Amino acid sequence: MAEAQEGPGRSGKRAEAGTEEPAEEERPGRRRRSFQPAAEPRGTTVLHDTVSARPQPLPARHFDTKTTEPISFFLSGLEELLAWQPDGNDDFNISAVPLAKRQPPLHSRRPRTLVCHDMRGGYLEDRFIQGSATRNPYVFYHWRYIDIFVYFSHHTVTIPPVCWTNAAHRNGVPVLGTFITEWTDGEKLCEAFLAGGAEAYRAVGEQLARIAQHYRFDGWLVNIENTLSAAAVGNLPPFLRHLTAQVHSAVPGGLVIWYDSVLRNGALRWQNELTEENRVFFDACDGLFTNYNWKQEHLERTRGLAGPRHTDVYVGVDVFARGDVIGGGFDTDKVLGLAGRVPAHAQHLHAAPRHLLQPGHGHQQVLGWEGGRARALVRPERAGDPAPLPGTRGQAEHQLLPAGRLVRGQLPQGAGDHPPRRGARGRPMPAPPKLFLTLLYKLEGPHPDEFAVALELTTWDSGTCHEGNVTSLPEPNGRHHPRFLPAPPPGLAKLLAVCDRGSNGWTSRCYELDLQDCSLRDLSLLLSRHQPSPRETPFTCLLGEIRVLDAASVAASPPEVQSLSASQLWWQEGPEAEQLSLSLTLRWTFPPGRAGCFRVLSLGARCRRGQTSPQLLGLAHACLYRAVGLVVPRPAAGQSCRLELLVEPVLRDQLPVDPERWGRLVLVYSDPAGSASRDGY
């Protein structure tokens, strides 16, 4: 029998299903019936626990003191920074999403945009890692339009909340934390680590690099906004060089950017440009973030001084338009217009908007191919995002709505031989021999039955690409039209159960396509009329989802959730006299990269045998989740009750996973202070 992970104020025991635990020793005057783990399905974790009346508090740095929800945190002062060490409670704050690749890459010599998050001091609703009930949180979307995201606060060491890092990484955007010193306390802090020998500033640089590596974000914005002594400013360039080297070594693609603040003589004087007075710091790191009060002549001088590194200068734009600035507010676009008029290609200077306020949230999912599978999935996003899909052809427009992507346009006169297409283009990738495709759409308007919707795949012209077998003739222009499947093929009915089904006006279709020696290029949605018409016909199509699946991978058995365990149990009085409130941390294992997220469900708690319907507790984006405030019945004296929790993996290709492969945990609990005895487990 293995001991469970110890939680505060509790001791527990766990056993795998199929092994029977010895019954607990009977206490005088108490009768208890314990749950028998042998009755549970294979792979079920069974945990036994006794309700504790005095739970010990969890670390306030990592958990909310009122609810025990996991939270993001910062470090205050030099002592906390130097004392930081990896902690067993850090797991919730470690990014679970690797930085996706983007084209062109960040380090190519091209215009780039940096967004600096500076909202009311930071760590507001976004500090709650598993989400917040706030209806209108501060958020940012349109990730595809930016290249770097900085999370800013006025704490000495700002560690970006993991929710921002995950969202940015999913869209190929690196995330920087902030190392800041300011005012009189900042002068003292800088004297402590910069005015001495190299050992002190090297220790700070190494700690900052370790923190970025441990929490899996991508580097630092360094903001020294206080005067420096001669000794301190003399060590500042070597500190920046050491920090940059350490970040580059610890974090692939890592960055260190310097904020336009102090000068080489230690004076605090914002320059609003790159000058000989601050160039020494620019030369020691990856980039410069200028102050906001610049004019056109500042840009011109910066372009000349930066030379070939002009793409490493980020021109600050305060969107609140405070002070003597150009643009800002709803005139922020004037900044880009001005930069475009600066001679000598100064438009390559990069706008770095700060305090950028945008409603809504979401991200763009571009067609990609990984592990033999591909999909172009239109995620639900807010209305008002007019950016087109890459590879768009034909006369149609679209926008994003809460339910999907809206395609609207006009079909010309005639039979519609050249229907509008909405395209998604990915990297050229070898096509598997057999593909399955699923399409979810909704036709709207006065006569939706007049239109037909289909899919088209195009391949790169290789001279050897054939549809079907090698004796088939090549398709003209490399265009392929997958065959409609009125029903899923034998053996795949459960996995492709959505074929030819729909509800509330939505239609779901499945297709198949056999290819030989082909490389995939474009995926398009085709709309046409069933019958010719002498007039133009308006159409509206809401595109929900397109999936492209490798048939061999679809047929393979998905992995299963393993090693599900519970720890850090926190018992409190419930809302009613016969109830308790329970919070606990779940952990499990699953192959990396296979799941987009996990659904954590509860089958409820009960003290008598019976069944209840599963209820969704929340989504996890890593292999852990803290369930908070579960209301469960209070056991009577001598009685034990049970709570059953499930973890369902949601695969990246959205195919269902058999419940037998989910994680399952049963908590059998008793209360020494329970009331009158009654039958139970």
Side-chain angles (χ1 to χ4, degrees), residues 434-608:
K434 190 177 190 63
L435 293 173
F436 288 123
L437 302 93
T438 66
L439 168 64
L440 179 66
Y441 67 93
K442 183 178 184 179
L443 287 169
E444 296 182 331
H447 305 289
D449 294 337
E450 293 183 6
F451 302 100
V453 178
L455 291 176
E456 177 183 274
L457 273 170
T458 61
T459 53
W460 294 90
D461 185 11
S462 64
T464 61
C465 175
H466 291 80
E467 182 176 334
N469 54 51
V470 294
T471 62
S472 303
L473 294 176
E475 292 291 321
N477 302 317
R479 292 182 177 178
H480 308 272
H481 300 94
R483 296 178 297 279
F484 169 64
L485 292 174
L492 296 179
K494 191 171 185 180
L495 294 177
L496 299 180
V498 297
C499 293
D500 204 29
R501 292 186 184 180
S503 61
N504 299 318
W506 288 88
T507 300
S508 181
R509 298 288 180 86
C510 288
Y511 304 84
E512 66 177 351
L513 180 63
D514 297 309
L515 297 172
Q516 295 288 334
D517 299 323
C518 297
S519 292
L520 298 170
R521 181 176 182 176
D522 295 334
L523 172 62
S524 299
L525 179 72
L526 280 64
L527 294 96
S528 59
R529 278 188 295 264
H530 291 295
Q531 300 294 333
S533 173
R535 55 183 174 80
E536 286 190 346
T537 309
F539 68 86
T540 300
C541 179
L542 192 61
L543 176 61
E545 179 185 76
I546 301 175
R547 289 188 292 165
V548 185
L549 309 169
D550 179 356
S553 299
V554 169
S557 297
E560 62 181 313
V561 174
Q562 295 183 331
S563 304
L564 178 58
S565 64
S567 62
Q568 297 173 319
L569 275 70
W570 176 275
W571 294 98
Q572 291 180 300
E573 292 297 320
E576 304 292 339
E578 296 300 316
Q579 294 176 328
L580 296 167
S581 175
L582 170 65
S583 301
L584 75 166
T585 299
L586 299 174
R587 298 174 186 268
W588 59 90
T589 61
F590 198 76
R594 293 296 306 274
C597 64
F598 301 88
R599 300 175 75 239
V600 182
L601 305 107
S602 170
L603 287 177
R606 54 194 186 277
C607 300
R608 295 182 180 274

Side-chain angles (χ1 to χ4, degrees), residues 49 51 571 580 605 632-633 635 639-643 667-670:
D49 190 63
V51 176
W571 294 98
L580 296 167
V632 299
Q639 180 191 39
S640 58
C641 302
R642 63 179 263 155
L643 169 69
L667 171 67
V668 181
Y669 63 97
S670 57

